């Protein structure tokens, strides 16, 4: 059936880019064709080519639009009588824009990697300039921060702002804005632990040499999927990276789809096991949350490539595998939500879910950073104030063990809940 023709708007080119951005984020760049975009816009495929010669050009336009709107939010909001007023105005503008463009906000982070290096560098210019402006605004409010710490706090705040694009939880717009701004305020106010005197040692290049063949294949597949994207990697590429002949690869996995599903099974299994271990013997909701934060950060940093693939390639799973993954994700998030709900009595469950997703997104984003100032301890310190700030004027003796993550336990768990 031919696409339904619609009146041609004045901003047709921009409309094509926006529709493409939404499809790329929902299905993945390689799973969307020009005809798919045309059908959604209500025009023919050849009409797309009058505006964009290739699909790469459509992607570049979508990423450019996102970067320019981001920069406009920073520039237009940077007005006010004091540095704090200016910073607040910018953050509010960014949160509102992120919620308005929730379905496309992750385009810049994940799908932009499918552009060539020259285009990526050019499109990053307005974004990087806006980030530097944000850092300057934060330093105006907190002049005692080092530039490196200010950069880390800004990166975490932007991860919070972008987090609604990573989940489907529903919350009224006004409440979502307040919740995200509260999380951003908490992050930007954190006093970070001192960075390490020396950067952590790098893993040797032969770190997989002693692994069984199946494990080597899985480890190299995850690395390549993260670096190049699922569709850009072949089974031969994976076998070559693992030092295994192409014919031998298929004795372990029938194809890329099975490898990707195995990677997700590995990630969800580790998360479930780690969460269960963290909760056993915790004694209180606050202590349990501290353990969960510490465990999740450590696990994500140890397997940063797997964590990145976990959040960026799910649409390439077979439908049964995708359903299984989403069920596991819901169980994991529900564990966090249950703990935070006990520490924030009276807060709407949907708002708590927004907080949890924001915290998890911060960890995933920072784990992929290569800077020496981004450590597990410094990342964990950001999560506590977002999830369970200590009640004003209260000191809990059980909080001492959780202070490294900024988590303070509630006065006690509700009756009927046992922290084993």
């Amino acid at each position: 059936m031919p696409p339904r023709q619609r009146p041609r708007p004045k901003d047709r080119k921009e409309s094509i880019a926006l529709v493409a951005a939404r499809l790329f984020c929902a299905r993945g760049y390689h799973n969307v064709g020009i005809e798919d975009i045309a059908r959604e816009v209500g025009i023919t495929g050849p009409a797309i080519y009058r505006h964009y010669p290739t699909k790469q050009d459509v992607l570049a336009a979508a990423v450019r639009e996102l970067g320019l709107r981001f920069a406009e939010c920073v520039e237009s909001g940077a007005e006010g009588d004091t540095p704090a007023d200016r910073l607040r105005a910018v953050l509010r503008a960014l949160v509102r824009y992120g919620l308005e463009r929730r379905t496309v906000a992750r385009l810049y982070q994940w799908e932009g990697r499918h552009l060539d290096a020259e285009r990526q560098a050019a499109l990053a210019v307005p974004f990087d300039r806006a980030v530097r402006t944000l850092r300057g605004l934060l330093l105006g409010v907190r002049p005692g921060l080092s530039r490196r710490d200010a950069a880390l706090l800004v990166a975490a705040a932007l991860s919070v702002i972008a987090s609604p694009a990573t989940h489907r939880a529903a919350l009224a717009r006004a409440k979502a804005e307040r919740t995200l701004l509260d999380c951003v305020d908490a992050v930007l106010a954190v006093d970070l632990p001192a960075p390490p005197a020396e950067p952590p040692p790098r893993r040797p290049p032969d770190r997989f040499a002693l692994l069984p063949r199946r494990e080597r294949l899985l480890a190299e597949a995850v690395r390549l999927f993260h670096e190049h994207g699922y569709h850009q990697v072949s089974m031969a590429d994976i076998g070559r990276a693992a030092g295994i002949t192409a014919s031998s690869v298929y004795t372990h996995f029938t194809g890329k789809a099975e490898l990707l599903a195995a990677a997700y099974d590995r990630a969800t299994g580790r998360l479930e096991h780690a969460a269960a271990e963290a909760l056993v013997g915790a004694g209180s909701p606050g202590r349990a949350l501290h353990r969960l934060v510490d465990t999740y950060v450590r696990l994500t940093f140890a397997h940063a490539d797997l964590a990145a693939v976990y959040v960026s390639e799910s649409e390439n799973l077979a439908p049964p595998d995708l359903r299984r993954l989403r069920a596991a994700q819901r169980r994991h998030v529900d564990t966090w939500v249950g703990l935070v709900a006990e520490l924030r009595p009276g807060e709407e469950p949907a708002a708590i879910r927004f907080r949890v997703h924001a915290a998890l997104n911060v960890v995933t984003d920072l784990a992929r950073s290569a800077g020496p100032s981004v450590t597990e301890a410094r990342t964990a310190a950001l999560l506590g104030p977002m999830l369970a700030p200590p009640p004003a004027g209260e000191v809990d003796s059980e909080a001492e063990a959780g202070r490294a993550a900024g988590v303070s336990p509630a006065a006690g768990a509700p009756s009927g809940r046992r922290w084993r």
Side-chain angles (χ1 to χ4, degrees):
M1 179 183 296
R4 182 167 55 90
Q5 296 293 326
R6 301 172 186 169
R8 180 174 181 172
K10 296 179 181 179
D11 58 348
R12 171 71 80 198
K13 194 169 184 178
E14 183 178 338
S15 297
I16 292 171
L18 183 59
V19 167
R22 179 170 54 79
L23 292 176
F24 292 153
C25 288
R27 305 180 194 173
Y29 173 73
H30 290 284
N31 296 326
V32 176
I34 289 293
E35 290 297 332
D36 298 318
I37 300 169
R39 191 177 303 111
E40 286 292 314
V41 176
I43 59 178
T44 64
I48 296 279
Y49 292 114
R50 286 200 291 270
H51 299 284
Y52 299 105
T54 68
K55 194 171 74 165
Q56 277 267 305
D57 293 312
V58 180
L59 176 61
V63 173
R64 182 184 303 109
E65 178 70 15
L66 192 63
L68 290 175
R69 296 294 83 77
F70 173 84
E72 284 179 5
C73 286
V74 174
E75 292 165 5
S76 63
E79 299 176 358
D81 296 331
T82 68
D85 290 339
R86 291 193 290 273
L87 179 59
R88 186 68 175 177
V90 168
L91 294 174
R92 185 178 292 110
L94 288 174
V95 166
R96 288 175 176 171
Y97 179 69
L99 289 170
E100 289 169 2
R101 290 289 186 263
R102 182 176 180 178
T103 58
V104 302
R106 67 194 294 266
L107 180 80
Y108 191 93
Q109 182 180 19
W110 296 115
E111 302 308 323
R113 64 188 165 150
H114 299 300
L115 294 169
D116 60 68
E118 185 176 352
R119 277 183 169 177
Q120 286 187 38
L123 293 172
V125 171
F127 182 85
D128 292 345
R129 186 185 302 119
V131 170
R132 288 194 297 271
T133 299
L134 270 175
R135 185 180 63 191
L137 290 171
L138 178 59
L139 287 170
V141 176
R142 299 186 61 184
L145 282 176
S146 68
R147 293 175 67 84
R148 180 175 290 181
D149 284 0
L152 175 55
L153 293 179
V154 165
L158 291 177
S159 184
V160 169
I161 292 169
S163 63
T166 68
H167 63 87
R168 301 181 180 185
L171 186 62
R173 175 65 63 85
K175 291 180 180 179
E177 286 184 17
R178 287 197 299 271
T179 301
L180 292 174
L181 280 171
D182 187 63
C183 289
V184 168
D185 288 344
V187 163
L188 295 181
V190 167
D191 290 321
L192 291 166
E198 296 181 1
R202 299 183 65 181
R203 292 179 296 179
D206 60 345
R207 62 190 182 277
F208 300 137
L210 300 179
L211 290 177
R213 284 187 169 191
R214 180 182 172 87
E215 293 301 311
R216 278 157 54 196
L217 285 168
L218 186 55
E220 291 296 349
V222 166
R223 180 180 65 81
L224 293 172
F225 291 159
H226 172 46
E227 291 179 359
H228 306 291
Y230 175 79
H231 287 276
Q232 297 298 99
V233 177
S234 68
M235 288 292 279
D237 295 330
I238 297 167
R240 192 177 306 112
I244 298 172
T245 61
S247 58
S248 298
V249 171
Y250 290 95
T251 65
H252 300 281
F253 295 97
T254 58
K256 282 198 307 179
E258 187 180 353
L259 261 168
L260 185 64
Y264 278 95
D265 288 340
R266 177 66 51 84
T268 54
R270 282 174 174 160
L271 280 176
E272 290 177 345
H273 179 71
E277 282 194 336
L279 298 182
V280 171
S284 72
R287 178 61 175 160
L289 183 59
H290 164 64
R291 286 186 174 188
L292 195 58
V293 166
D294 181 69
T295 299
Y296 184 77
V297 170
R298 176 167 39 82
L299 189 65
T300 305
F301 271 65
H303 304 282
D305 286 354
L306 180 56
V309 170
Y310 186 81
V311 299
S312 65
E313 298 289 355
S314 62
E315 297 304 323
N316 292 309
L317 288 169
D321 295 324
L322 182 57
R323 287 192 294 271
R324 189 171 69 251
L325 168 68
R326 287 180 173 164
Q329 289 173 330
R330 283 192 295 271
R331 290 194 301 270
H332 181 69
V333 171
D334 285 346
T335 299
W336 288 75
V337 170
L339 287 173
V340 176
E342 297 197 39
L343 296 167
R344 305 184 72 94
E347 184 163 348
E348 185 176 345
I352 291 175
R353 195 166 291 272
F354 259 64
R355 285 185 183 276
V356 167
H357 279 292
L360 299 180
N361 200 50
V362 167
V363 179
T364 302
D365 284 349
L366 293 185
R368 297 185 303 113
S369 302
S373 67
V374 182
T375 65
E376 294 177 22
R378 304 183 108 218
T379 301
L382 298 166
L383 268 61
M386 295 170 56
L387 298 173
E394 286 191 24
V395 177
D396 192 319
S397 60
E398 284 200 51
E400 186 172 348
R403 282 183 184 137
V407 176
S408 178
S415 59
R417 183 68 177 267
R418 293 184 64 238
W419 299 99
R420 296 167 291 173

